Amino acid sequence: MTAGNPANAGRRVPAFAACEQDGFIWVFAREGADPKGLEPPRIPHIDDADYLTVIREYDVECTLHAALENALDVPHTAFVHRGDFRGKESREIEAVRRRIPGGIEVEYIGEPPLSGPTHDADGRPIVSEHWDRFFLPGVAQVEYRTSSGRHLISTLPHTPVSDFRTRFWLVSCWKVPEDKREEMRPIIEKQLDTILGQDVEILRQQTR
């Protein structure tokens, strides 16, 4: 049918603003809304030649809220992921919460490096920086940086499929020298698949 066809009279298709950014289609989920000033958050380093990027997609048996909480709940890692990372020792750290454009950020101060050596070649402690971020309406982000130059940042867009099913993507970007990427990729992928697999299972148990 063409636009001028009388059969189309009175017909209307709802319009939703959308854009393509960082390999995702972002849809503003309110009909006819003007998304000006509400651009989706960027996914840092997804196309950066200095970074190794791992992308995964998961369907999880849980609410959107539970999936986001899992991504950003640091204390759960010492229990759900004990032995894979965290949980080997207890340490008191400081958490500083601050508002950021479109969301909120928590910085953890006094946390040891997530993996690898804890001291440099001269015996000085390696300082670790860690931030967790939430961006409206459903994006989580976890970033680690050390004084020795290690850096990784994982961005996790979430979308509800139904009341008790959520789909999310993991976009995990690791700063790895080019000559080490082929060696490191299967190690990083295995670590991420193990950790996210544990999250998917614990969320399923929690929901049931």
Side-chain angles (χ1 to χ4, degrees), residues 154-169:
S154 294
T155 306
L156 300 94
H158 291 67
T159 189
V161 176
S162 63
D163 287 348
F164 290 96
R165 184 163 294 275
T166 299
R167 181 169 300 149
F168 75 88
W169 291 261

Side-chain angles (χ1 to χ4, degrees), residues 6-113:
N8 291 336
R11 296 187 180 186
R12 178 176 175 274
V13 177
F16 297 87
C19 72
E20 184 177 356
Q21 178 179 288
D22 298 327
F24 289 85
I25 303 296
W26 304 82
V27 180
F28 196 83
R30 190 165 69 238
E31 179 187 348
D34 180 4
K36 187 176 180 180
L38 295 171
E39 292 79 11
R42 301 305 305 234
I43 300 181
H45 303 291
I46 188 171
D47 293 320
D48 193 326
D50 292 331
Y51 284 73
L52 182 159
T53 299
V54 177
I55 301 176
R56 293 288 189 269
E57 180 180 335
Y58 297 89
D59 267 23
V60 193
E61 189 179 339
C62 67
T63 64
L64 175 66
H65 177 274
L68 284 162
E69 182 182 53
N70 173 81
L72 299 172
D73 173 30
V74 173
H76 94 272
T77 60
F79 301 94
V80 177
H81 310 303
R82 182 183 298 274
D84 292 304
F85 74 101
R86 292 201 182 95
K88 298 177 182 178
E89 62 178 65
S90 61
R91 177 188 295 239
E92 187 171 314
I93 62 174
E94 180 182 358
V96 179
R97 185 181 62 200
R98 61 179 68 93
R99 291 188 179 278
I100 56 176
I104 195 164
E105 170 186 88
V106 177
E107 179 180 4
Y108 298 93
I109 300 171
E111 186 177 8

